[in-house]
Amino acid sequence: MTSGEVRVRAGQQWWAWVAAALVVAAAAAPLVISWLTNADDQRLVDLDVYRTGGQMLLEGRPVYDFVTPAPQLLPFTYPPVAAMLAVGLAAMSWETAQWVWTAGIFVALGVTVWFAFREPLSKESLREESLGKESLGKESLGKEPLSQEAREGGAWRRYGPWAFALLMVACTYLMPIRDQVRFGQVDILLVALCLADCAAKRPRWPRGFLIGLATAVKLTPGVFLIYLLVTRQWRTLAMATFTTALLTLLPFAVIPRDASDFWFSALLDPERLGANAATTNQSVRGMLIRLYMNETLTTAIWAVIVAAIGWYGFRAARRAYQAGDTITAVALVGLMAVLLSPVAWIHHLAWVVVVLGAIVGDGRDPVRLRVAAGVWLFYVVPVPWWGVSIKAAEIPVLSPVLGKIVQNGFGLGALALVWLLGAWLPKRREAGREIGLRKRQEIS
Protein backbone atom coordinates (compact mmCIF):
# COMPACT_ATOMS: atom_id res chain seq x y z
CA MET A 1 0.00 0.00 0.00
CA THR A 2 1.38 3.41 -0.99
CA SER A 3 1.61 6.41 1.32
CA GLY A 4 -1.08 8.10 -0.74
CA GLU A 5 -3.48 5.19 -0.20
CA VAL A 6 -2.76 5.29 3.54
CA ARG A 7 -3.66 8.99 3.68
CA VAL A 8 -6.88 8.45 1.70
CA ARG A 9 -8.01 5.55 3.89
CA ALA A 10 -7.15 7.45 7.07
CA GLY A 11 -9.27 10.33 5.82
CA GLN A 12 -12.14 7.98 5.03
CA GLN A 13 -11.96 6.52 8.52
CA TRP A 14 -11.96 10.00 10.08
CA TRP A 15 -15.09 10.99 8.18
CA ALA A 16 -16.73 7.69 9.07
CA TRP A 17 -16.23 8.41 12.77
CA VAL A 18 -17.65 11.93 12.35
CA ALA A 19 -20.69 10.50 10.58
CA ALA A 20 -21.11 7.86 13.29
CA ALA A 21 -20.95 10.55 15.98
CA LEU A 22 -23.66 12.50 14.16
CA VAL A 23 -25.84 9.39 14.06
CA VAL A 24 -25.47 8.95 17.83
CA ALA A 25 -26.20 12.66 18.42
CA ALA A 26 -29.32 12.50 16.25
CA ALA A 27 -30.57 9.36 18.00
CA ALA A 28 -29.94 10.82 21.46
CA ALA A 29 -31.34 14.28 20.63
CA PRO A 30 -35.00 13.51 21.52
CA LEU A 31 -33.94 12.21 24.93
CA VAL A 32 -31.60 15.12 25.64
CA ILE A 33 -33.97 17.81 24.42
CA SER A 34 -36.84 16.31 26.39
CA TRP A 35 -35.01 16.45 29.71
CA LEU A 36 -33.14 19.70 29.17
CA THR A 37 -36.27 21.65 28.23
CA ASN A 38 -38.75 20.38 30.82
CA ALA A 39 -39.82 22.34 33.89
CA ASP A 40 -36.82 23.90 35.61
CA ASP A 41 -37.61 22.34 39.01
CA GLN A 42 -37.65 18.88 37.37
CA ARG A 43 -34.53 19.28 35.24
CA LEU A 44 -31.32 17.40 36.07
CA VAL A 45 -32.16 17.49 39.76
CA ASP A 46 -29.10 15.49 40.85
CA LEU A 47 -26.78 17.79 38.91
CA ASP A 48 -28.42 20.61 40.86
CA VAL A 49 -27.40 18.81 44.07
CA TYR A 50 -23.77 18.50 42.93
CA ARG A 51 -23.58 22.08 41.74
CA THR A 52 -25.21 23.46 44.88
CA GLY A 53 -22.76 21.49 47.02
CA GLY A 54 -19.90 23.24 45.22
CA GLN A 55 -21.70 26.56 45.64
CA MET A 56 -21.95 26.02 49.40
CA LEU A 57 -18.18 25.63 49.58
CA LEU A 58 -17.62 28.81 47.57
CA GLU A 59 -19.93 30.69 49.94
CA GLY A 60 -18.43 29.11 53.08
CA ARG A 61 -21.72 27.52 54.12
CA PRO A 62 -22.22 23.98 55.56
CA VAL A 63 -22.51 21.50 52.68
CA TYR A 64 -24.65 18.95 54.53
CA ASP A 65 -27.19 21.42 55.94
CA PHE A 66 -28.69 22.64 52.66
CA VAL A 67 -31.43 21.15 50.48
CA THR A 68 -32.26 22.10 46.91
CA PRO A 69 -35.35 24.30 46.32
CA ALA A 70 -38.88 22.89 46.49
CA PRO A 71 -40.37 20.63 45.34
CA GLN A 72 -37.22 18.44 45.28
CA LEU A 73 -35.66 19.37 48.66
CA LEU A 74 -32.67 17.11 48.02
CA PRO A 75 -29.64 17.16 50.35
CA PHE A 76 -26.01 16.60 49.36
CA THR A 77 -25.33 12.89 50.03
CA TYR A 78 -21.80 12.39 48.69
CA PRO A 79 -18.41 12.45 50.46
CA PRO A 80 -16.93 15.93 50.92
CA VAL A 81 -14.31 15.50 48.19
CA ALA A 82 -17.21 15.31 45.73
CA ALA A 83 -18.30 18.78 46.83
CA MET A 84 -14.74 20.01 46.31
CA LEU A 85 -14.75 18.62 42.77
CA ALA A 86 -18.17 20.19 42.15
CA VAL A 87 -16.80 23.71 42.65
CA GLY A 88 -16.06 23.75 38.92
CA LEU A 89 -19.75 23.17 38.19
CA ALA A 90 -20.70 25.94 40.61
CA ALA A 91 -18.46 28.34 38.71
CA MET A 92 -20.58 27.79 35.56
CA SER A 93 -24.02 29.17 34.87
CA TRP A 94 -26.84 26.68 35.40
CA GLU A 95 -27.52 26.48 31.64
CA THR A 96 -23.86 25.88 30.80
CA ALA A 97 -23.50 23.26 33.52
CA GLN A 98 -26.48 21.32 32.15
CA TRP A 99 -25.01 21.04 28.66
CA VAL A 100 -21.46 20.36 29.84
CA TRP A 101 -22.64 17.64 32.22
CA THR A 102 -24.91 16.01 29.63
CA ALA A 103 -22.07 15.95 27.12
CA GLY A 104 -19.90 14.36 29.83
CA ILE A 105 -22.51 11.62 30.34
CA PHE A 106 -22.25 10.63 26.69
CA VAL A 107 -18.45 10.78 26.70
CA ALA A 108 -18.46 8.46 29.73
CA LEU A 109 -20.95 6.19 27.99
CA GLY A 110 -18.70 6.12 24.94
CA VAL A 111 -15.71 5.08 27.06
CA THR A 112 -17.82 2.38 28.73
CA VAL A 113 -19.12 1.02 25.42
CA TRP A 114 -15.61 1.04 23.95
CA PHE A 115 -14.13 -1.07 26.74
CA ALA A 116 -17.19 -3.27 27.36
CA PHE A 117 -17.53 -4.24 23.68
CA ARG A 118 -13.83 -4.16 22.85
CA GLU A 119 -13.83 -7.76 21.57
CA PRO A 120 -16.54 -7.38 18.91
CA LEU A 121 -15.26 -3.90 18.02
CA SER A 122 -11.71 -5.15 17.51
CA LYS A 123 -10.09 -5.47 14.10
CA GLU A 124 -9.68 -9.20 14.62
CA SER A 125 -13.45 -9.73 15.00
CA LEU A 126 -14.53 -7.34 12.27
CA ARG A 127 -12.07 -8.68 9.72
CA GLU A 128 -14.18 -11.83 9.24
CA GLU A 129 -16.93 -9.73 7.66
CA SER A 130 -14.78 -9.00 4.62
CA LEU A 131 -12.11 -11.69 4.72
CA GLY A 132 -13.54 -14.01 2.09
CA LYS A 133 -14.90 -11.34 -0.26
CA GLU A 134 -11.77 -9.28 -0.57
CA SER A 135 -9.48 -12.30 -0.88
CA LEU A 136 -11.71 -13.93 -3.49
CA GLY A 137 -12.01 -10.71 -5.48
CA LYS A 138 -8.26 -10.26 -5.70
CA GLU A 139 -7.67 -13.88 -6.65
CA SER A 140 -10.31 -13.82 -9.38
CA LEU A 141 -8.55 -10.85 -10.95
CA GLY A 142 -5.23 -12.66 -10.88
CA LYS A 143 -3.79 -10.30 -8.29
CA GLU A 144 -1.97 -11.09 -5.11
CA PRO A 145 -4.44 -11.63 -2.20
CA LEU A 146 -4.55 -8.97 0.48
CA SER A 147 -2.47 -9.56 3.58
CA GLN A 148 -4.24 -10.35 6.87
CA GLU A 149 -3.25 -6.93 8.23
CA ALA A 150 -4.76 -5.18 5.21
CA ARG A 151 -7.99 -7.19 5.49
CA GLU A 152 -8.31 -6.42 9.21
CA GLY A 153 -7.68 -2.74 8.64
CA GLY A 154 -10.20 -2.62 5.78
CA ALA A 155 -12.91 -4.29 7.85
CA TRP A 156 -12.22 -1.98 10.78
CA ARG A 157 -12.50 1.13 8.59
CA ARG A 158 -15.66 -0.19 6.99
CA TYR A 159 -17.59 -1.47 10.02
CA GLY A 160 -15.91 -0.17 13.19
CA PRO A 161 -17.48 3.32 13.43
CA TRP A 162 -20.96 2.03 12.58
CA ALA A 163 -20.80 -0.87 15.00
CA PHE A 164 -19.76 1.55 17.75
CA ALA A 165 -22.57 3.95 16.83
CA LEU A 166 -25.15 1.15 16.91
CA LEU A 167 -23.99 0.05 20.36
CA MET A 168 -24.01 3.65 21.63
CA VAL A 169 -27.59 4.20 20.47
CA ALA A 170 -28.75 0.87 21.91
CA CYS A 171 -27.15 1.62 25.30
CA THR A 172 -28.41 5.20 25.36
CA TYR A 173 -31.99 3.97 25.57
CA LEU A 174 -31.46 1.54 28.44
CA MET A 175 -33.59 2.85 31.30
CA PRO A 176 -30.63 3.25 33.71
CA ILE A 177 -28.85 5.36 31.06
CA ARG A 178 -31.96 7.38 30.22
CA ASP A 179 -32.14 8.20 33.93
CA GLN A 180 -28.53 9.42 33.83
CA VAL A 181 -29.68 12.13 31.41
CA ARG A 182 -32.97 12.73 33.17
CA PHE A 183 -31.43 13.37 36.58
CA GLY A 184 -27.94 14.48 35.56
CA GLN A 185 -26.43 11.56 37.45
CA VAL A 186 -22.76 10.64 37.96
CA ASP A 187 -23.07 6.85 37.83
CA ILE A 188 -21.98 6.26 34.24
CA LEU A 189 -18.82 8.29 34.90
CA LEU A 190 -18.00 6.00 37.84
CA VAL A 191 -18.67 2.95 35.67
CA ALA A 192 -16.30 4.31 33.01
CA LEU A 193 -13.58 5.02 35.60
CA CYS A 194 -13.69 1.55 37.16
CA LEU A 195 -13.99 -0.27 33.83
CA ALA A 196 -11.13 1.67 32.23
CA ASP A 197 -8.92 1.04 35.26
CA CYS A 198 -9.53 -2.72 35.07
CA ALA A 199 -9.70 -3.24 31.30
CA ALA A 200 -7.13 -0.85 29.80
CA LYS A 201 -4.26 -2.91 28.41
CA ARG A 202 -1.55 -0.29 28.89
CA PRO A 203 -3.00 2.52 31.01
CA ARG A 204 -1.27 5.90 31.02
CA TRP A 205 -2.15 6.33 34.68
CA PRO A 206 -1.17 4.18 37.69
CA ARG A 207 -3.63 1.29 37.59
CA GLY A 208 -5.91 1.57 40.60
CA PHE A 209 -5.97 5.36 40.61
CA LEU A 210 -9.34 5.61 38.84
CA ILE A 211 -10.96 3.06 41.15
CA GLY A 212 -9.66 5.04 44.13
CA LEU A 213 -11.05 8.27 42.66
CA ALA A 214 -14.47 6.70 42.02
CA THR A 215 -14.60 5.23 45.53
CA ALA A 216 -13.71 8.55 47.14
CA VAL A 217 -16.42 10.37 45.15
CA LYS A 218 -19.19 7.81 45.76
CA LEU A 219 -18.58 4.98 48.19
CA THR A 220 -20.25 2.12 46.28
CA PRO A 221 -17.29 1.58 43.86
CA GLY A 222 -15.46 0.42 46.97
CA VAL A 223 -16.59 -3.10 46.02
CA PHE A 224 -13.69 -3.01 43.55
CA LEU A 225 -11.27 -2.90 46.47
CA ILE A 226 -12.69 -6.26 47.54
CA TYR A 227 -12.35 -7.52 43.96
CA LEU A 228 -8.69 -6.46 43.81
CA LEU A 229 -8.14 -8.18 47.14
CA VAL A 230 -9.70 -11.53 46.19
CA THR A 231 -7.91 -11.53 42.82
CA ARG A 232 -4.60 -10.64 44.53
CA GLN A 233 -3.86 -7.63 42.35
CA TRP A 234 -1.69 -6.23 45.12
CA ARG A 235 -0.09 -3.29 43.32
CA THR A 236 -3.42 -2.10 41.91
CA LEU A 237 -5.08 -2.56 45.30
CA ALA A 238 -2.35 -0.51 46.98
CA MET A 239 -2.78 2.36 44.51
CA ALA A 240 -6.60 2.28 44.76
CA THR A 241 -6.49 2.21 48.57
CA PHE A 242 -3.92 4.99 48.70
CA THR A 243 -5.96 7.20 46.35
CA THR A 244 -9.18 6.56 48.27
CA ALA A 245 -7.51 7.32 51.60
CA LEU A 246 -5.81 10.46 50.29
CA LEU A 247 -9.00 11.90 48.80
CA THR A 248 -10.95 10.95 51.94
CA LEU A 249 -8.49 12.59 54.33
CA LEU A 250 -7.86 15.69 52.20
CA PRO A 251 -11.20 17.34 53.10
CA PHE A 252 -10.35 17.05 56.81
CA ALA A 253 -7.48 19.45 56.09
CA VAL A 254 -9.38 21.75 53.71
CA ILE A 255 -13.02 21.67 54.91
CA PRO A 256 -12.85 19.89 58.30
CA ARG A 257 -16.36 20.84 59.45
CA ASP A 258 -17.99 19.39 56.34
CA ALA A 259 -15.78 16.28 56.49
CA SER A 260 -16.86 15.62 60.08
CA ASP A 261 -20.52 16.30 59.24
CA PHE A 262 -20.47 13.66 56.52
CA TRP A 263 -18.54 10.84 58.17
CA PHE A 264 -20.08 11.16 61.64
CA SER A 265 -23.62 12.27 60.83
CA ALA A 266 -24.90 12.42 57.25
CA LEU A 267 -23.47 9.04 56.25
CA LEU A 268 -25.35 7.32 59.07
CA ASP A 269 -28.77 8.58 57.94
CA PRO A 270 -30.08 6.40 55.05
CA GLU A 271 -33.22 8.52 54.72
CA ARG A 272 -31.06 11.35 53.33
CA LEU A 273 -30.86 9.25 50.18
CA GLY A 274 -34.62 9.37 49.68
CA ALA A 275 -37.56 7.09 50.49
CA ASN A 276 -35.92 3.68 50.86
CA ALA A 277 -39.21 1.86 50.15
CA ALA A 278 -39.70 3.63 46.82
CA THR A 279 -39.96 1.54 43.65
CA THR A 280 -36.80 3.14 42.30
CA ASN A 281 -34.76 1.48 45.08
CA GLN A 282 -33.97 -1.87 43.44
CA SER A 283 -31.37 -3.04 45.95
CA VAL A 284 -31.96 -6.23 47.94
CA ARG A 285 -32.74 -4.10 50.98
CA GLY A 286 -35.22 -2.04 48.99
CA MET A 287 -37.02 -5.16 47.84
CA LEU A 288 -37.20 -6.46 51.42
CA ILE A 289 -38.42 -3.14 52.79
CA ARG A 290 -41.34 -3.25 50.36
CA LEU A 291 -42.48 -6.47 52.05
CA TYR A 292 -43.21 -4.30 55.14
CA MET A 293 -41.93 -6.78 57.69
CA ASN A 294 -40.57 -5.95 61.12
CA GLU A 295 -37.50 -3.70 60.75
CA THR A 296 -35.25 -5.98 62.82
CA LEU A 297 -36.32 -9.04 60.85
CA THR A 298 -35.79 -7.17 57.56
CA THR A 299 -32.28 -6.20 58.59
CA ALA A 300 -31.41 -9.74 59.66
CA ILE A 301 -32.70 -11.28 56.41
CA TRP A 302 -30.92 -8.60 54.39
CA ALA A 303 -27.60 -9.32 56.11
CA VAL A 304 -27.85 -13.04 55.34
CA ILE A 305 -28.87 -12.52 51.70
CA VAL A 306 -26.18 -9.95 50.89
CA ALA A 307 -23.55 -12.15 52.52
CA ALA A 308 -24.60 -15.02 50.23
CA ILE A 309 -24.72 -12.79 47.16
CA GLY A 310 -21.33 -11.28 47.95
CA TRP A 311 -19.77 -14.71 48.51
CA TYR A 312 -21.09 -16.00 45.20
CA GLY A 313 -20.49 -12.81 43.21
CA PHE A 314 -16.89 -12.20 44.23
CA ARG A 315 -15.99 -15.87 43.76
CA ALA A 316 -17.47 -15.74 40.26
CA ALA A 317 -15.59 -12.51 39.54
CA ARG A 318 -12.34 -14.12 40.66
CA ARG A 319 -12.94 -17.11 38.38
CA ALA A 320 -13.66 -14.79 35.46
CA TYR A 321 -10.47 -12.84 36.15
CA GLN A 322 -8.43 -16.04 36.33
CA ALA A 323 -9.97 -17.13 33.02
CA GLY A 324 -8.81 -13.86 31.44
CA ASP A 325 -12.36 -12.49 31.10
CA THR A 326 -11.92 -9.06 32.67
CA ILE A 327 -15.19 -7.63 31.31
CA THR A 328 -17.26 -10.36 32.97
CA ALA A 329 -15.35 -9.87 36.22
CA VAL A 330 -16.02 -6.11 36.16
CA ALA A 331 -19.70 -6.69 35.30
CA LEU A 332 -20.10 -9.01 38.28
CA VAL A 333 -18.43 -6.58 40.67
CA GLY A 334 -20.58 -3.74 39.32
CA LEU A 335 -23.69 -5.79 40.07
CA MET A 336 -22.35 -6.28 43.59
CA ALA A 337 -22.26 -2.49 43.96
CA VAL A 338 -25.98 -2.43 43.18
CA LEU A 339 -27.22 -5.46 45.09
CA LEU A 340 -25.15 -5.10 48.26
CA SER A 341 -25.79 -1.39 48.74
CA PRO A 342 -28.59 -0.43 51.18
CA VAL A 343 -29.99 1.88 48.50
CA ALA A 344 -29.60 1.40 44.75
CA TRP A 345 -31.71 3.53 42.46
CA ILE A 346 -32.50 2.42 38.91
CA HIS A 347 -29.81 4.71 37.50
CA HIS A 348 -27.21 2.80 39.56
CA LEU A 349 -27.82 -0.09 37.16
CA ALA A 350 -25.72 1.68 34.53
CA TRP A 351 -23.50 -1.40 35.00
CA VAL A 352 -25.90 -3.19 32.63
CA VAL A 353 -23.85 -1.74 29.75
CA VAL A 354 -20.85 -3.75 30.96
CA VAL A 355 -23.05 -6.80 31.53
CA LEU A 356 -24.17 -6.66 27.90
CA GLY A 357 -20.56 -6.45 26.74
CA ALA A 358 -19.70 -9.52 28.82
CA ILE A 359 -22.60 -11.54 27.41
CA VAL A 360 -21.87 -10.54 23.80
CA GLY A 361 -18.21 -11.53 24.11
CA ASP A 362 -16.57 -11.51 20.69
CA GLY A 363 -19.97 -11.34 18.99
CA ARG A 364 -19.66 -14.69 17.18
CA ASP A 365 -21.96 -16.85 19.32
CA PRO A 366 -25.60 -16.43 18.17
CA VAL A 367 -26.94 -17.82 21.45
CA ARG A 368 -25.06 -15.22 23.47
CA LEU A 369 -26.25 -12.51 21.09
CA ARG A 370 -29.88 -13.54 21.58
CA VAL A 371 -29.47 -13.59 25.35
CA ALA A 372 -27.87 -10.13 25.24
CA ALA A 373 -30.77 -8.84 23.14
CA GLY A 374 -33.22 -10.17 25.73
CA VAL A 375 -31.34 -8.52 28.60
CA TRP A 376 -31.17 -5.27 26.65
CA LEU A 377 -34.92 -5.27 26.01
CA PHE A 378 -35.67 -6.07 29.66
CA TYR A 379 -33.75 -3.00 30.83
CA VAL A 380 -35.17 -0.74 28.12
CA VAL A 381 -38.81 -1.10 29.16
CA PRO A 382 -40.03 0.29 32.53
CA VAL A 383 -40.61 -3.09 34.19
CA PRO A 384 -40.83 -1.84 37.83
CA TRP A 385 -43.50 0.67 36.91
CA TRP A 386 -45.56 -2.08 35.29
CA GLY A 387 -45.52 -3.72 38.70
CA VAL A 388 -46.81 -0.52 40.29
CA SER A 389 -49.67 -0.48 37.76
CA ILE A 390 -50.52 -4.14 38.46
CA LYS A 391 -50.63 -3.43 42.20
CA ALA A 392 -52.82 -0.38 41.63
CA ALA A 393 -55.34 -2.51 39.70
CA GLU A 394 -56.17 -4.29 43.00
CA ILE A 395 -56.90 -7.64 41.39
CA PRO A 396 -57.17 -10.30 44.13
CA VAL A 397 -54.03 -12.46 44.45
CA LEU A 398 -52.62 -11.19 41.13
CA SER A 399 -51.97 -7.62 42.25
CA PRO A 400 -50.26 -8.26 45.60
CA VAL A 401 -48.17 -11.21 44.34
CA LEU A 402 -47.35 -10.64 40.67
CA GLY A 403 -47.40 -6.87 41.15
CA LYS A 404 -44.76 -7.08 43.87
CA ILE A 405 -42.53 -9.37 41.79
CA VAL A 406 -42.72 -7.14 38.72
CA GLN A 407 -42.19 -4.02 40.85
CA ASN A 408 -38.86 -5.55 41.94
CA GLY A 409 -38.09 -6.58 38.36
CA PHE A 410 -34.80 -4.74 37.84
CA GLY A 411 -33.39 -5.88 41.18
CA LEU A 412 -34.47 -9.49 40.61
CA GLY A 413 -33.08 -9.16 37.09
CA ALA A 414 -29.73 -8.10 38.54
CA LEU A 415 -29.74 -11.23 40.72
CA ALA A 416 -30.44 -13.33 37.63
CA LEU A 417 -27.58 -11.61 35.81
CA VAL A 418 -25.17 -12.57 38.59
CA TRP A 419 -26.12 -16.21 38.02
CA LEU A 420 -25.98 -15.76 34.24
CA LEU A 421 -22.44 -14.34 34.33
CA GLY A 422 -21.21 -16.62 37.09
CA ALA A 423 -22.69 -19.97 36.03
CA TRP A 424 -24.20 -19.94 32.53
CA LEU A 425 -21.63 -17.81 30.70
CA PRO A 426 -18.52 -19.88 31.57
CA LYS A 427 -20.26 -23.04 30.33
CA ARG A 428 -21.39 -21.27 27.17
CA ARG A 429 -17.91 -19.92 26.59
CA GLU A 430 -16.43 -23.40 26.89
CA ALA A 431 -19.07 -24.83 24.55
CA GLY A 432 -18.23 -22.11 22.03
CA ARG A 433 -14.54 -23.04 22.18
CA GLU A 434 -15.35 -26.70 21.54
CA ILE A 435 -17.56 -25.82 18.56
CA GLY A 436 -14.86 -23.57 17.14
CA LEU A 437 -12.25 -26.31 17.59
CA ARG A 438 -14.42 -28.85 15.78
CA LYS A 439 -14.98 -26.44 12.89
CA ARG A 440 -11.25 -25.83 12.55
CA GLN A 441 -10.61 -29.58 12.57
CA GLU A 442 -13.24 -30.11 9.86
CA ILE A 443 -11.68 -27.42 7.69
CA SER A 444 -8.19 -28.83 8.11
Side-chain angles (χ1 to χ4, degrees):
M1 185 182 296
T2 67
S3 60
E5 289 174 323
V6 171
R7 286 193 295 270
V8 170
R9 293 193 176 187
Q12 290 173 343
Q13 186 179 9
W14 183 80
W15 280 108
W17 280 106
V18 171
L22 291 175
V23 168
V24 174
L31 178 67
V32 173
I33 293 173
S34 172
W35 291 118
L36 266 68
T37 59
N38 66 337
D40 188 62
D41 61 4
Q42 300 293 321
R43 190 185 312 159
L44 277 66
V45 295
D46 288 321
L47 174 61
D48 191 23
V49 171
Y50 310 152
R51 185 171 174 272
T52 307
Q55 188 65 44
M56 293 300 101
L57 287 186
L58 291 177
E59 296 176 2
R61 296 164 59 187
V63 170
Y64 297 96
D65 287 351
F66 85 89
V67 292
T68 56
Q72 300 300 332
L73 303 175
L74 299 174
F76 193 84
T77 60
Y78 299 86
V81 72
M84 295 171 63
L85 295 172
V87 167
L89 292 171
M92 304 177 189
S93 68
W94 175 226
E95 290 74 17
T96 301
Q98 291 175 60
W99 285 103
V100 168
W101 190 260
T102 302
I105 287 173
F106 284 98
V107 170
L109 178 61
V111 171
T112 302
V113 167
W114 181 263
F115 280 108
F117 294 91
R118 182 166 58 192
E119 276 195 89
L121 287 173
S122 67
K123 295 179 181 180
E124 289 76 10
S125 293
L126 290 169
R127 75 183 178 89
E128 291 195 349
E129 298 293 334
S130 61
L131 179 60
K133 292 181 181 179
E134 292 190 9
S135 179
L136 181 60
K138 289 291 183 180
E139 290 172 353
S140 64
L141 292 172
K143 297 180 181 180
E144 183 181 349
L146 291 174
S147 67
Q148 178 174 324
E149 182 180 357
R151 289 194 298 267
E152 291 177 359
W156 171 246
R157 283 187 291 273
R158 186 175 299 112
Y159 302 113
W162 305 110
F164 179 77
L166 176 62
L167 290 168
M168 278 290 293
V169 173
C171 291
T172 293
Y173 281 89
L174 290 164
M175 191 170 182
I177 302 302
R178 297 202 306 270
D179 278 1
Q180 300 294 312
V181 181
R182 176 184 179 183
F183 298 117
Q185 255 292 334
V186 72
D187 297 288
I188 191 61
L189 173 60
L190 304 179
V191 171
L193 290 174
C194 294
L195 178 59
D197 216 358
C198 291
K201 293 181 178 179
R202 290 180 294 275
R204 298 182 180 181
W205 60 88
R207 196 183 295 276
F209 172 77
L210 299 184
I211 289 174
L213 173 61
T215 303
V217 168
K218 189 173 183 177
L219 302 178
T220 50
V223 292
F224 279 88
L225 301 180
I226 302 174
Y227 164 68
L228 296 175
L229 177 64
V230 299
T231 54
R232 299 185 178 185
Q233 299 181 60
W234 305 122
R235 182 175 298 180
T236 305
L237 175 62
M239 174 54 66
T241 304
F242 171 76
T243 304
T244 301
L246 178 64
L247 295 178
T248 298
L249 295 173
L250 179 63
F252 281 98
V254 181
I255 46 172
R257 179 180 62 181
D258 292 313
S260 297
D261 286 346
F262 175 77
W263 290 103
F264 303 115
S265 179
L267 179 62
L268 306 178
D269 181 8
E271 293 302 322
R272 286 179 63 90
L273 300 174
N276 289 192
T279 300
T280 48
N281 182 10
Q282 292 287 310
S283 69
V284 171
R285 180 170 172 271
M287 291 187 278
L288 290 173
I289 288 174
R290 285 191 289 274
L291 295 177
Y292 299 102
M293 299 182 293
N294 175 274
E295 183 177 352
T296 302
L297 178 61
T298 296
T299 301
I301 295 174
W302 174 65
V304 172
I305 292 176
V306 297
I309 293 171
W311 178 83
Y312 181 88
F314 285 113
R315 280 171 58 91
R318 183 177 63 186
R319 288 195 298 269
Y321 171 78
Q322 291 171 342
D325 191 352
T326 301
I327 302 303
T328 297
V330 172
L332 281 162
V333 179
L335 290 173
M336 294 299 99
V338 174
L339 292 169
L340 304 186
S341 175
V343 177
W345 309 122
I346 288 173
H347 52 73
H348 292 172
L349 280 159
W351 291 102
V352 169
V353 176
V354 188
V355 171
L356 290 172
I359 297 172
V360 167
D362 62 11
R364 299 172 186 174
D365 185 341
V367 174
R368 290 172 67 171
L369 291 177
R370 288 194 291 270
V371 171
V375 172
W376 173 82
L377 181 60
F378 184 80
Y379 281 97
V380 165
V381 296
V383 172
W385 303 111
W386 292 351
V388 173
S389 298
I390 294 171
K391 289 174 63 180
E394 298 184 350
I395 302 172
V397 182
L398 182 66
S399 289
V401 178
L402 180 62
K404 186 73 70 177
I405 293 172
V406 177
Q407 184 185 21
N408 297 330
F410 281 177
L412 295 174
L415 283 170
L417 290 175
V418 172
W419 171 83
L420 189 79
L421 298 178
W424 178 83
L425 188 57
K427 294 178 181 178
R428 186 65 206 175
R429 191 189 303 118
E430 186 60 32
R433 290 196 186 105
E434 292 176 0
I435 293 172
L437 179 60
R438 284 199 299 268
K439 286 182 177 180
R440 285 192 294 271
Q441 289 174 344
E442 291 172 1
I443 293 173
S444 61

